[in-house]
Amino acid sequence: MTAAGRPIRRWPLWAWALAAYVLAWTLLPALLAPSLQLDVVEGIAWGQAWQWGYYKHPPLPAWLLFAAFQLLGRFGPYLLGQLAVLLTLFYVHRLARALLGPERAALAALLLYAVYYYTWPTLEFNHNVAQLPAWAALAWHAHQLMFGAPERARRHWLWLGVWAGLGLLAKYSTAVLLLCLAAGLLWHEPRALRRPGPWLALTVAGLILAPHALWLVQHGGLPFEYFAARADGGPHRDHASGLEFLLMQLLAHVPLLVIALACGLLPWRWRWQQVEPAQRRWLLGVALAPALLVAAGGSLLGARLHPMWGTPMWNLSAVLLLAGFAPEWLARKRVALGRALALWLAAITLAMLWYLGWSWQGRAQPARMDWPAQALGDQAQRQWQQLASCPLRVVAGSIWEAGLVAEGVRPMAAVLVDVNPVYSPSITPERLRREGALLVWHVGDYDGAPAAPVLDQAPPGSWRVSQGEWSIAWPRHVGGEPLHIAWRAYVPPACQRP
C-alpha cells in the first residue's frame, strides 16, 4: 500500500519476462552483429528519400525503418520488430477475450511466440513483419463489426479503413486478408453494402492510399513488375508450390505444436468450447483461409511461393488451438504452458546470441550481418573528404554495398540503387551534377566496374573522376582475408579540393 492507502500495482511475472525478452532482442543483436540485415539496409536506404513508393514495395516499412534508425541508430530497427509483435499481441488479446473469454485470452496472445514468425524473423524488420499488427487489428475490428455492439459500428468501420490503408501501405498482400474479411462479412450480412459503414471504411482507406496510388501511376507500377518476377515459376511451372507453401507454414508451427503436446493439449481432445457456431466459422475463415487461398492460387498458376509470405497469416493460431479446450481445464495447465513457453523463448534467445556472436567462426563465407559495416562507412567518408570539400551526399551501387556506405556516413547519404535513376527517382541527373557521387562495388562481383551510364555519360567537365580500391579489415572472415571494395568518385567542380 502507498502512504495514501492506495494499492501498489505490481507487474506480474510474465510481464517482467516479456519485457526482458523484448529488451534482449533489441539490445543484443545491435551490440553483437557488426551489420544489419539486407532488408533492413534496403529499407533504411529507401526511407531516406521519403517517397510515396519504391520500386519493390509500398513505403510504410521504409519510412519506419529510416525514422527508427535516425532516432536510435542500430537499435531502432530491432526495436521496431519487437514493437510490431507487441502491437499484434495487443489486438490478438482483445480478439481472444471476445471469442474465448478472459481466462484464455492472455495465453492465446503469449503462445504466439511459439510460432516461428514471431521470433527469429523479427530480427529483420521488413514488409512481412510490418504486416503483423495490421492483420491482427483488421481481424479485431472486423469481428466487432459482425458480433460486437451495433452502437460502436461506426468507430470500427473507421478503424477498419485506417488499418486497411496502413496494411496495404506495408505490403499489397494485405489484400488477401481483406478479401477474406469481405467475404465473411457479406456471408454474415448480405445487405451490408447498403449501409454507410463499408463505404466509410473504403473512403478512409482510399484517402490513405491515394498518394501511393498516384505514385504507382507516375512510375508505371514498378512494384507489380517486381512481384511478377519474384513469383515467376520460370519455364517449368511448379503446380505443387501450394503444398510446399503449406508444409513450410506447418513447420513454422512446430514449437507451438510441441508445447501443446508436451502439456497435454492433444488433438483428439480438441472440441469447440464456448464459441457459438457463427463465430466458429468466422474464426476458421480468418485463421486459415488466407494461407489456403494463396496456396491454391500459387498451385493453379504454377507460381513460386516464398514461405516468408506466410508471416502475417497466423495471428490466430493460438486462439484456434485454445478454442478447443475448456477454460477450467486450461487453468490447470497454465503453469505448465507458461514454463514450456519460457523454455522455448530462452532457448531461441540463446540460439540468437550464439548465432550473432560466435557462429561466424564456423562459416566458410561470412553472412551479411558479419560485414564490417562501420569500418566501410568510415573508410568511404575519409576517402570522399580527401577528394571533395562538400559532404558525401550520394552513394551509388548495389543496395547492399551502397546502402552500408550510406548508413555509415554522417549525415546519411542517399543511395542511387544499381546506379539507376528509375529505382531512385529522387536522385536526378541535375542533383548528381551538383553533389557528385561515390560509386562502390565488391571486387569480384562485376567484370570490371558496374554499368553507370547516368554518371559516365554526363557532359564533359561535369566532375573530376578518381578511383581506387580499399582493403578493409574483416574480423569475421575466418580466412582472415580483408574486404576488398572498389570505388570511383565523381566530384563536381564546385566541390573539388585543390
Side-chain angles (χ1 to χ4, degrees):
M1 305 290 288
T2 65
R6 297 176 181 175
I8 298 175
R9 294 184 177 181
R10 299 184 183 275
W11 279 17
L13 180 60
W14 66 264
W16 283 107
L18 182 58
Y21 173 85
V22 169
L23 194 63
W25 282 71
T26 299
L27 299 181
L28 292 178
L31 296 173
L32 292 173
S35 178
L36 297 167
Q37 295 271 30
L38 172 60
D39 284 357
V40 176
V41 171
E42 184 176 55
I44 294 172
W46 289 347
Q48 195 267 357
W50 290 105
Q51 297 171 189
W52 273 105
Y54 304 96
Y55 68 99
K56 287 186 181 180
H57 291 296
L60 182 58
W63 294 346
L64 295 175
L65 278 169
F66 178 71
F69 183 72
Q70 290 295 100
L71 289 173
L72 299 173
R74 294 166 49 78
F75 299 97
Y78 297 112
L79 179 61
L80 266 183
Q82 300 312 309
L83 292 179
V85 173
L86 289 178
L87 185 55
T88 303
L89 298 188
F90 168 77
Y91 276 105
V92 170
H93 180 263
R94 298 185 75 180
L95 181 56
R97 282 182 65 92
L99 284 167
L100 308 179
E103 300 85 0
R104 293 175 284 179
L107 198 56
L110 291 174
L111 278 176
L112 277 184
Y113 276 112
V115 179
Y116 168 75
Y117 294 127
Y118 292 82
T119 53
W120 201 278
T122 61
L123 290 173
E124 189 171 17
F125 182 85
N126 56 21
H127 296 261
N128 295 318
V129 177
Q131 287 181 100
L132 287 172
W135 283 51
L138 285 168
W140 156 250
H141 291 292
H143 176 271
Q144 290 302 290
L145 285 169
M146 293 175 62
F147 305 105
E151 62 271 14
R152 298 182 180 179
R154 179 175 297 179
R155 182 179 68 180
H156 289 294
W157 279 118
L158 176 65
W159 278 107
L160 193 73
V162 170
W163 280 109
L166 294 177
L168 291 170
L169 281 181
K171 197 171 183 181
Y172 302 131
S173 52
T174 299
V176 177
L177 176 63
L178 292 174
L179 179 62
C180 295
L181 292 177
L185 176 64
L186 292 176
W187 179 272
H188 181 77
E189 179 53 65
R191 298 182 178 180
L193 293 180
R194 298 183 180 181
R195 299 175 182 176
W199 304 107
L200 172 63
L202 282 171
T203 300
V204 172
L207 290 173
I208 293 173
L209 289 170
H212 176 61
L214 180 61
W215 183 93
L216 284 174
V217 172
Q218 294 172 341
H219 293 84
L222 281 175
F224 297 109
E225 294 181 9
Y226 169 77
F227 171 74
R230 183 96 164 128
D232 185 13
H236 304 289
R237 298 291 178 179
D238 183 8
H239 294 286
S241 61
L243 293 177
E244 297 167 3
F245 176 78
L246 293 177
L247 176 60
M248 296 305 296
Q249 305 313 306
L250 180 61
L251 290 176
H253 285 77
V254 165
L256 177 62
L257 297 175
V258 169
I259 289 174
L261 293 174
C263 295
L265 278 67
L266 304 176
W268 52 86
R269 292 181 178 175
W270 195 95
R271 300 288 187 277
W272 285 109
Q273 301 288 333
Q274 302 177 0
V275 181
E276 62 182 36
Q279 297 199 56
R280 295 175 190 176
R281 292 190 294 271
W282 182 88
L283 176 57
L284 285 172
V286 176
L288 302 177
L292 295 175
L293 188 61
V294 168
S299 291
L300 182 64
L301 299 174
R304 181 172 51 178
L305 300 177
H306 297 267
M308 295 305 294
W309 290 353
T311 299
M313 297 179 179
W314 305 108
N315 290 333
L316 302 183
S317 293
V319 175
L320 188 58
L321 171 67
L322 298 185
F325 298 95
E328 303 80 14
W329 186 83
L330 280 175
R332 298 194 295 270
K333 299 289 184 178
R334 190 182 305 275
V335 174
L337 287 167
R339 288 175 177 172
L341 180 61
L343 182 62
W344 156 247
L345 292 181
I348 199 166
T349 301
L350 291 174
M352 179 268 290
L353 183 66
W354 169 81
Y355 178 80
L356 297 180
W358 292 276
S359 68
W360 63 270
Q361 300 174 15
R363 284 196 287 267
Q365 293 295 327
R368 292 193 185 273
M369 295 183 76
D370 296 326
W371 277 53
Q374 190 57 54
L376 177 58
D378 292 343
Q379 177 62 57
Q381 186 147 348
R382 285 194 301 268
Q383 186 69 69
W384 183 262
Q385 289 172 348
Q386 291 174 9
L387 301 170
S389 58
C390 303
L392 177 57
R393 300 292 190 188
V394 178
V395 183
S398 76
I399 191 64
W400 177 242
E401 291 91 354
L404 288 181
V405 169
E407 291 161 21
V409 302
R410 292 294 180 271
M412 181 179 165
V415 177
L416 180 58
V417 180
D418 293 340
V419 207
N420 188 345
V422 173
Y423 295 159
S424 305
S426 65
I427 304 177
T428 61
E430 293 75 19
R431 178 179 175 183
L432 288 172
R433 284 193 288 271
R434 184 175 63 253
E435 299 178 352
L438 179 66
L439 173 64
V440 296
W441 67 95
H442 188 206
V443 174
D445 287 353
Y446 299 89
D447 184 12
V454 69
L455 295 170
D456 294 332
Q457 296 176 10
S462 295
W463 34 56
R464 182 171 63 194
V465 180
S466 305
Q467 63 183 22
E469 184 177 314
W470 303 320
S471 180
I472 300 172
W474 200 344
R476 291 199 173 193
H477 196 294
V478 174
E481 181 181 350
L483 174 63
H484 295 284
I485 296 291
W487 60 272
R488 184 180 294 162
Y490 299 79
V491 182
C495 295
Q496 294 172 9
R497 289 190 180 277

